[in-house]
Amino acid sequence: MKRLIIAIDGPAGAGKSTVAKLAAQQLGYTYIDTGAMYRAVAWQVLQAGLEPDNKTVAALAASLDLKLTYVNGKTAVAVNGRDITEAIRTPEVNRLVSRVAQVQALREIMLTLQRGLAAEGGVVMDGRDIGTHVLPNADIKIFLTASISERAQRRWQELTAKGYTLALAELENEIKTRDKADCEREFAPLAAAADAVFIDTTELSIQATVEKILELCKERQECV
Ligand code: CDP
Ligand code: CDP
């Protein structure tokens, strides 16, 4: 049976990584979290106390030593041999990442890495520009959405469970700002591919969303 390439895009908190991971597990595919790759560079900027201007980010991108591994359903991220899997999920990284992700030189390097990771098929890749730019020939393209209040609530729950104290309204504004930056950037902005299937997860459970994706895979595999 053909090992498909599945692209999942959408705004923050729509459920992309959760459902992508579960769908990959059920299909025996590899899950590739492209957001983690941009987060790793944002973390480097913060760690080194650098200004996130185009020149600095381009220089970091040119010497990027990034390793993404996917073992037993878990993605691990390392930069220069240091494991930063948890460190890239902080509110500070959330605030900086879309600025860093605007830099064209970085996006070009990521594009090459991401296409390389998907080359063999049998992958579920999630991000913002996967169906439109990174994998325009993907077998299945999904655009996941949910209302802004639902997405903010989900992120708030996640962060408070980790011990962060933050106001829901403030988080909602941060997510809106990040979505706007992602949608309006010049290179490979957040957008749905013309042939993407829209799934609104506002009132859809994780399992129901995964089932919809698996159903699309089944239909697709019956045609190839
Ligand atoms: O998990 P969440 O949806 O909050 O974010 P993420 O998927 O980890 O992505 C973090 C950020 O990386 C996004 O807000 C984008 O600025 C950037 N990104 C991107 O530009 N292109 C991608 N393919 C994936 C992420
Ligand atoms: O990757 P993305 O930013 O699109 O979202 P996520 O990190 O997969 O999901 C954000 C949070 O929403 C997680 O805590 C999920 O468990 C939760 N979620 C949910 O409650 N219902 C869904 N249908 C999808 C995700």
Side-chain angles (χ1 to χ4, degrees), residues 11-18 126 154-155 158 201 204-206 209:
K16 301 180 299 298
S17 59
T18 308
D126 83 331
R154 289 175 184 172
R155 249 316 115 74
E158 242 175 34
T201 72
L204 201 62
S205 72
I206 293 170
T209 312

Side-chain angles (χ1 to χ4, degrees), residues 8 14-16 18-20 22-23 142 144-145 154 199-216:
I8 305 184
K16 301 180 299 298
T18 308
V19 301
L22 289 169
I142 313 278
L144 274 196
T145 57
R154 289 175 184 172
I199 303 179
D200 187 330
T201 72
T202 310
E203 294 190 27
L204 201 62
S205 72
I206 293 170
Q207 200 45 46
T209 312
V210 174
E211 275 161 23
K212 272 190 184 234
I213 296 172
L214 295 178
E215 193 56 40
L216 289 169

Side-chain angles (χ1 to χ4, degrees), residues 11-13 16 34-36 38-39 89 97-98 101 107 127-130 155 178 182 185:
K16 301 180 299 298
T34 64
Y38 290 99
R39 285 173 177 274
R89 305 279 164 200
V97 62
S98 59
R107 299 205 73 86
R128 301 294 188 285
D129 60 340
I130 310 306
R155 249 316 115 74
R178 183 147 64 95
D182 288 343
R185 69 168 171 245

